[in-house]
Amino acid sequence: KVWDAVDTGCCLKTYSCHSCAVRAARWSSCGRRILSGGFDSMLHLTDVETGKQIFSSKNEFRISALKFHPTESNIFICGGFSPEVKAWDIRTSKVLRVYKAAVQQTLDILFLPEGREFLTSTDAVSRDSADRTIIAWDFQSAAKISNQIFHERYTCPSLTVHPKESVFVAQTNGNYMALFSAQRPYRINKKKRYEGHKVEGFAVGCEFSPDGTLLVTGSSDGKVFFYNYHTARIIHTLSAHKEACVSAIFHPVLPSLLATCSWAGEIKVWQ
């Protein structure tokens, strides 16, 4: 569904192209198309105006994560319930590269600035090892750069990169967000941890404000937490939903607008 979030709050259009749950949807950089994937293993690129599929393809696994390449608008990466992550080219409707890891599921995908490298967070956590929880990949060669980035035994349901500084944040199921360098060897910042919210097994998303001063996250108790990026202190909380708040995202053009969504299927836009 596409909504008018600024003025009327009405649903503008509904696109019924999937036969099972839609797990990931992304706007194209031009803002006229939506890429979607889900549990029917289908990938669709839909024209928002006409509702027609510009690109459709059957994937080999159920999809849970999608990301467009930051500089190549015709290329995207998909991951899901598979040890593989795939790069697709919309122009040819073919897989460009396959990235293979000994995991069962990809939870999130994050391109680092310029798109030469990207990160995947996975479900690979065992009692005696936390390697492969976050994996860094070379986009062109499909080689693993590192799988020893995060050493604590928690999965990381979402990743987000800072808009101005060379750092990224991982949401962890240990009820905190961890800060890392976005340059090799991607070291964790042990002096900063963003704590206070709850994750508790939900795929709770996190994001930086457009100017990079705030870090916002949902919480399993339905609240939204705003952290000062530099001090890691909580500066504001919002009682947003009765169920778990699984995502909180700033508007890309109007930074005073925030959208949140809940486990109960509710979407709210805040000023």
Side-chain angles (χ1 to χ4, degrees):
K1 295 190 174 188
V2 175
W3 303 79
D4 182 339
V6 178
D7 296 320
T8 64
C10 294
C11 178
L12 300 175
K13 275 195 177 181
T14 301
Y15 308 96
S16 302
C17 49
H18 290 276
S19 59
C20 293
V22 178
R23 186 61 185 84
R26 298 279 172 189
W27 285 101
S28 64
S29 57
C30 65
R32 295 193 296 267
R33 301 168 177 178
I34 298 171
L35 177 68
S36 58
F39 283 5
D40 58 0
S41 303
M42 289 298 297
L43 290 160
H44 295 294
L45 185 68
T46 305
D47 185 287
V48 175
E49 290 289 324
T50 64
K52 291 181 180 178
Q53 267 73 60
I54 298 159
F55 161 90
S56 287
S57 189
K58 178 82 172 176
N59 194 45
E60 292 175 358
F61 52 81
R62 290 182 296 162
I63 298 154
S64 60
L66 291 170
K67 280 286 166 71
F68 275 106
H69 192 281
T71 59
E72 302 280 345
S73 61
N74 289 304
I75 294 172
F76 68 87
I77 286 184
C78 80
F81 293 80
S82 169
E84 296 179 348
V85 174
K86 294 180 179 181
W88 288 77
D89 191 323
I90 291 163
R91 294 162 294 191
T92 60
S93 299
K94 290 182 179 178
V95 175
L96 272 180
R97 286 175 207 94
V98 177
Y99 308 82
K100 296 183 179 181
V103 300
Q104 290 182 308
Q105 183 185 358
T106 298
L107 305 176
D108 198 10
I109 300 164
L110 179 71
F111 272 104
L112 296 178
E114 298 177 8
R116 288 194 291 265
E117 298 166 6
F118 71 94
L119 305 167
T120 56
S121 64
T122 77
D123 65 349
V125 173
S126 62
R127 189 179 299 173
D128 55 353
S129 175
D131 70 328
R132 306 190 308 279
T133 302
I134 299 174
I135 303 172
W137 303 87
D138 183 280
F139 175 73
Q140 289 292 347
S141 69
K144 278 194 206 76
I145 299 167
S146 176
N147 61 0
Q148 300 283 333
I149 298 170
F150 183 54
H151 296 287
E152 298 192 33
R153 293 178 186 89
Y154 300 111
T155 52
C156 300
S158 71
L159 307 169
T160 187
V161 70
H162 195 279
K164 295 179 180 178
E165 296 183 21
S166 189
V167 295
F168 72 92
V169 159
Q171 180 82 268
T172 80
N173 275 309
N175 295 329
Y176 68 91
M177 291 178 286
L179 184 68
F180 298 83
S181 167
Q183 295 178 330
R184 302 183 195 186
Y186 316 107
R187 287 202 174 95
I188 191 169
N189 186 331
K190 294 181 179 178
K191 295 179 181 178
K192 276 188 193 174
R193 270 171 53 148
Y194 303 86
E195 299 176 293
H197 64 289
K198 297 176 182 177
V199 181
E200 295 177 342
F202 288 94
V204 174
C206 57
E207 191 186 59
F208 286 101
S209 59
D211 64 0
T213 59
L214 300 175
L215 180 60
V216 64
T217 178
S219 181
S220 64
D221 57 8
K223 293 179 181 177
V224 178
F225 285 73
F226 297 84
Y227 292 86
N228 182 308
Y229 159 62
H230 295 288
T231 65
R233 290 179 180 169
I234 298 168
I235 57 173
H236 188 60
T237 59
L238 200 63
S239 294
H241 301 278
K242 292 179 181 177
E243 298 278 340
C245 178
V246 291
S247 187
I249 296 178
F250 285 99
H251 192 285
V253 180
L254 307 169
S256 62
L257 285 183
L258 181 83
T260 64
C261 65
S262 80
W263 191 248
E266 192 175 53
I267 300 169
K268 293 183 178 181
V269 178
W270 305 81
Q271 183 78 44

